[in-house]
Amino acid sequence: MAHRKENIVMFPFMAQGHIIPFLALALQLENTNKYTITFVNTPLNIKKLKSSLPPDSSIHLLEIPFNSIDHNLPPCTENTDSVPYHLIPDLLNASLSFKSHFRKLITDLIREQDEHKPLAIITGMYYGWCQEIAQELGVFHAIFIGGGGFGFACYYSLWLNLPHRNTDSDEFVLPDFPEASRIHVTQTAEHLRNADGSDSFSVFLKKVLPLWSNADGILVNTVEEFDNIGLTYFRRKLSRPVWPIGPVLLSTGSKAGSGKEFGISAEVCRNWLDSKPLNSVLYVSFGSQNTIAASQMIQLATALEASGKNFIWVVRPPIGFDINSDFKADKWMPEGFERRIKDSGRGLVIHKWAPQIEILSHKSVSAFLSHCGWNSVLESLSHGVPLIAWPLAAEQFYNSKLLEEEIQVCVEVARGKSCEVLHKEIAEKINLVMNETEKGKEMRRKASEVREIIEDAVKNEEKYQGSSVKSMEQFLNVAFMMRENKMNEV
């Protein structure tokens, strides 16, 4: 009789930055050949995932009912990438309606599997309410934070304490996280800056973030050795096991999670990079859901041209336009910019999507000008590429702070979507990092060290297990032990 594989249920929040690390974790667990994965999400997100899973994947995609119209959202709105920004609080609140559907879904799943319960339910950071259902059914529940420890420790503390409301100063300390040192008001997204505790974001987050302390454990997509400050905060704050299991990343060449075609083929991109000298190319991308203002875009384009460096720039329409619509270079770029760049062979301007991991892993890439979303940060550091930070939203400001102040693999060039930034300043930072300056050389050396730390953390050999591999084993062992104890109680 074949040995039954243990089932793990995964349920991320409806956003690409959340779904992608969950999918990477699902594929990682599937590859061990010990687990089956049930991946839960709303119908349109499942449809996207279906087209991007490897053809031989056994991951079971399961739809949870959702109709956006019932929640005052536009039709077919099931992901933050399809919601106008002012409606994101409505999408967040709509996720609270999943509770009864999720209870039924898990109950039905247990019935279908001859009353064999899942080993664990892993949910997104806004779904702490799942603990109640998991507890009722006697199943281990973990929250998976797809971001970093430090970034989310700051995020968690800021939203629950709103410390900027208690001072007239532009700088403040987090009352329960002094190790983070001072935070500047410009390191807060606009909706956090304006939050007073009664706004829609505050009301939602004060409801869901404290639920983390009810979970059986917290998984974090990071590495203990360079993100210990944030992990220590959560261990102290939540009194729960906190397991750093990162980096959990999609493999090279994967389009999984995006459901989109790249704006350029990986082969064309690789051939262009092959033609450039070692460490000579700057990669610029603000991620799948962020963009900058049109005025900032013109300054950045001017800086790239003035720097004289080779570059690849992934462009999306600026703030105020549909981020998924066509890019209008004649409106949003300096006159003749794309033509000049193409003729000189110095740059590639890619519309919408690029094969990011292939780019960052190429030996000609020297630095990454990034919004500091955690997936991008991990992809960059995994290949020893230092960063130039332009954080735009959520916890990206604190990722940038960690990278610059603690890990020293980054310099910040701008902050936020409305800051005034001049092309001279951007060009100066690009040259500081990419030229043979003391700072540039030191950043590359540190980035190379971090790459080795990451390689060590995920090493899984007969006589040696890295810290992230050990954390993953501990999590699975604790889930098994909990189930055995529950069975012995019966």
Side-chain angles (χ1 to χ4, degrees), residues 203-406:
V203 169
F204 176 78
L205 291 168
K206 279 198 289 191
K207 206 180 286 178
V208 299
L209 293 182
L211 297 175
W212 290 14
S213 57
N214 298 338
D216 294 310
I218 310 287
L219 302 170
V220 190
N221 188 11
T222 195
V223 175
E224 181 85 46
E225 285 80 356
F226 62 70
D227 201 5
N228 182 259
I229 302 170
L231 296 168
T232 301
Y233 169 82
F234 281 125
R235 286 174 182 138
R236 181 176 73 221
K237 187 82 181 168
L238 304 175
S239 303
R240 285 285 177 272
V242 176
W243 294 293
I245 58 165
V248 180
L249 295 168
L250 291 171
S251 59
T252 306
S254 175
K255 290 184 188 143
S258 72
K260 309 264 175 115
E261 288 301 310
F262 298 139
I264 190 171
S265 77
E267 191 183 5
V268 169
C269 206
R270 191 165 48 248
N271 290 343
W272 186 87
L273 285 164
D274 286 345
S275 72
K276 302 301 170 197
L278 188 72
N279 288 328
S280 71
V281 177
L282 174 67
Y283 175 53
V284 183
S285 173
F286 295 105
S288 60
Q289 286 185 236
N290 292 285
T291 187
I292 53 178
S295 59
Q296 294 172 328
M297 211 167 265
I298 286 171
Q299 292 296 323
L300 177 53
T302 308
L304 289 170
E305 211 164 359
S307 73
K309 302 295 182 199
N310 299 313
F311 66 87
I312 294 176
W313 183 8
V314 186
V315 295
R316 318 289 297 277
I319 292 164
F321 298 87
D322 177 2
I323 198 168
N324 297 307
S325 63
D326 290 336
F327 189 84
K328 299 180 174 71
D330 55 334
K331 276 189 180 180
W332 303 322
M333 292 284 191
E335 194 180 341
F337 172 78
E338 282 206 54
R339 190 191 64 250
R340 288 194 302 278
I341 290 307
K342 195 175 180 185
D343 291 348
S344 69
R346 268 209 312 109
L348 272 185
V349 178
I350 301 173
H351 293 196
K352 291 189 180 176
W353 297 88
Q356 181 159 295
I357 300 172
E358 279 89 338
I359 293 168
L360 289 169
S361 61
H362 199 282
K363 60 188 184 305
S364 68
V365 172
S366 168
F368 181 9
L369 198 163
S370 169
H371 65 308
C372 287
W374 196 245
N375 288 332
S376 289
V377 166
L378 289 178
E379 285 168 2
S380 198
L381 295 180
S382 293
H383 295 101
V385 176
L387 294 107
I388 300 170
W390 187 333
L392 296 168
E395 91 294 358
Q396 293 159 16
F397 302 96
Y398 323 116
N399 295 340
S400 169
K401 185 177 167 67
L402 174 77
L403 294 168
E404 184 164 26
E405 295 174 15
E406 298 293 330

Side-chain angles (χ1 to χ4, degrees), residues 457-474:
V458 297
K459 205 172 273 182
N460 192 7
E461 295 168 356
E462 204 174 315
K463 292 183 179 175
Y464 180 84
Q465 280 191 327
S467 59
S468 293
V469 176
K470 280 181 187 163
S471 281
M472 192 69 185
E473 293 274 309
Q474 284 166 9

Side-chain angles (χ1 to χ4, degrees), residues 9 33 44 83 92 106 111 116 130 135 147 170 183 192 249 308 340 353 377 392 401 409 433 441 464:
V9 176
N33 220 18
L44 287 178
V83 182
L92 289 166
I106 299 296
R111 196 177 299 120
H116 194 81
C130 287
Q135 200 169 357
D170 282 346
I183 304 273
L192 172 56
L249 295 168
R340 288 194 302 278
W353 297 88
V377 166
L392 296 168
K401 185 177 167 67
V409 291
V433 176
K441 286 192 281 193
Y464 180 84

